[in-house]
Amino acid sequence: LDWMNGLYIRQLSLKELGERATGFWPTSATQAESTYKQQVLGLVQERLKFLAELPELTGFFFEDPQVDTTLLPKQLGPTKSKELLEAVKTAVKTSDFSESDLETRLRELVVKTGVKTGQLFGLIRISVTGQTAAPGLFETLATLGQETTLRRIDMMLRRLD
């Protein structure tokens, strides 16, 4: 039944899903624009099985997450994580924040630093969303926008000091 419910949700148009999701958004989404909520729904629709999961899956789009630093890739350690986040910050600071530009810049950074893609992208995802699993990284960053992304990276950098 869970699978069937998820299938039903995935088959809804974003407009219809948005109408049905009205009472399920996290409290922090109250003041958000409906166009932003639609954009967020588009990113999580594939993962939804129940509308009640919406707060858990989307909360970080509306408020800064409490990041558990133990989730950070253990292979990197705090010093390397800090170094990489500084490089990420530099790489995305001049981005137009489109998905394609973010992807190009971050994939180039993987090559430049020699770090595994999963480690770097995991570090970014956890720093920005507070979660190990979230919608696509580039789509998430583009939706959050430059200001929020850079603020959250700065917050993580301070935590790694």
Side-chain angles (χ1 to χ4, degrees):
L1 291 177
D2 292 349
W3 176 82
M4 286 178 64
N5 201 61
L7 180 65
Y8 179 73
I9 286 173
R10 287 187 294 281
Q11 291 176 343
L12 294 172
S13 70
L14 272 181
K15 183 180 182 205
E16 192 172 350
L17 180 57
E19 290 168 2
R20 291 173 187 239
T22 301
F24 293 93
W25 287 103
T27 308
S28 53
T30 307
Q31 302 302 318
E33 296 286 329
S34 60
T35 53
Y36 183 70
K37 287 181 182 178
Q38 286 287 104
Q39 193 175 3
V40 170
L41 268 180
L43 294 178
V44 299
Q45 185 174 14
E46 286 296 313
R47 297 179 62 206
L48 277 174
K49 290 184 199 100
F50 306 99
L51 293 176
E53 295 176 307
L54 209 52
E56 178 186 340
L57 294 175
T58 65
F60 67 86
F61 282 105
F62 304 101
E63 63 183 306
D64 292 341
Q66 297 298 317
V67 180
D68 179 358
T69 55
T70 63
L71 296 176
L72 294 173
K74 307 231 182 310
Q75 311 88 325
L76 298 177
T79 305
K80 185 68 173 174
S81 293
K82 189 172 180 179
E83 205 177 282
L84 289 169
L85 284 175
E86 288 288 358
V88 168
K89 194 172 148 183
T90 301
V92 301
K93 206 171 220 166
T94 57
S95 173
D96 65 7
F97 256 71
S98 66
E99 292 173 25
S100 60
D101 186 52
L102 288 165
E103 181 173 9
T104 300
R105 289 169 184 265
L106 294 176
R107 290 200 184 278
E108 286 173 358
L109 189 59
V110 166
V111 172
K112 183 178 168 184
T113 60
V115 174
K116 292 181 181 176
T117 305
Q119 291 175 337
L120 180 64
F121 290 4
L123 174 63
I124 298 166
R125 178 175 284 109
I126 291 164
S127 298
V128 175
T129 69
Q131 300 180 2
T132 55
L137 180 63
F138 314 116
E139 297 89 342
T140 298
L141 295 177
T143 300
L144 287 169
Q146 188 173 33
E147 181 184 328
T148 300
T149 298
L150 291 174
R151 181 181 71 248
R152 291 179 182 182
I153 289 172
D154 281 337
M155 288 169 54
M156 180 55 79
L157 285 168
R158 285 192 296 278
R159 291 200 63 199
L160 291 171
D161 276 337

